[in-house]
């Protein structure tokens, strides 16, 4: 159980090369329109670009089994910033900040 993981993975459903299952199709149609039109989402689009399959363990840590997203966010905030910057090159080459990789 991980509310943070669920929130991170939700945008993957609307990526153009994905075919979401029935419960998500209406939502995905709306999300794809927003995804294309809202420039505030550019950093997220860059993280989820086609061909980018590495996901930082700092952005997407292993679930700790809590239904409390605030508890998970507290754990993220406790991550050593030097470690996060050090791992940037592994998952997000060319981006300013990054993290240690896991495969999705």
């Amino acid at each position: 159980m991980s509310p943070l993981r669920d929130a991170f993975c939700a945008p993957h459903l609307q990526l153009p090369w994905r075919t979401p299952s029935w419960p998500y199709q209406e939502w995905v149609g709306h999300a794809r329109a927003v995804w294309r039109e809202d420039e505030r989402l550019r950093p997220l689009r860059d993280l989820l670009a086609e061909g980018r399959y590495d996901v930082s363990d700092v952005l997407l840590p292993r679930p700790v089994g809590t239904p409390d997203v605030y508890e998970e966010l507290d754990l993220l905030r406790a991550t050593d910033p030097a470690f996060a910057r050090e791992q940037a090159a592994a998952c997000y080459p060319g981006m300013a900040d990054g993290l240690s990789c896991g495969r999705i």
Side-chain angles (χ1 to χ4, degrees):
M1 176 179 301
S2 172
L4 188 58
R5 183 173 285 268
D6 290 346
F8 184 87
C9 292
H12 286 91
L13 291 175
Q14 64 73 42
L15 295 171
W17 56 89
R18 297 288 306 265
T19 305
S21 60
W22 162 78
Y24 305 106
Q25 289 171 351
E26 183 178 344
W27 172 82
V28 167
H30 175 71
R32 283 181 175 157
V34 172
W35 188 257
R36 286 187 306 268
E37 298 167 8
D38 193 332
E39 279 304 305
R40 294 173 297 178
L41 296 174
R42 178 161 301 287
L44 185 56
R45 284 194 303 259
D46 290 346
L47 285 176
L48 301 177
E50 187 169 8
R52 186 182 293 275
Y53 301 110
D54 291 331
V55 176
S56 162
D57 288 341
V58 175
L59 283 181
L60 195 60
R62 292 181 186 194
V64 293
T66 179
D68 187 348
V69 72
Y70 297 107
E71 187 176 336
E72 289 187 312
L73 290 171
D74 287 342
L75 291 171
L76 283 178
R77 286 185 199 102
T79 302
D80 179 4
F83 171 74
R85 284 189 296 275
E86 173 187 299
Q87 297 301 310
C91 286
Y92 310 109
M95 293 185 172
D97 290 303
L99 322 152
S100 111
C101 291
R103 299 292 287 180
I104 57 171

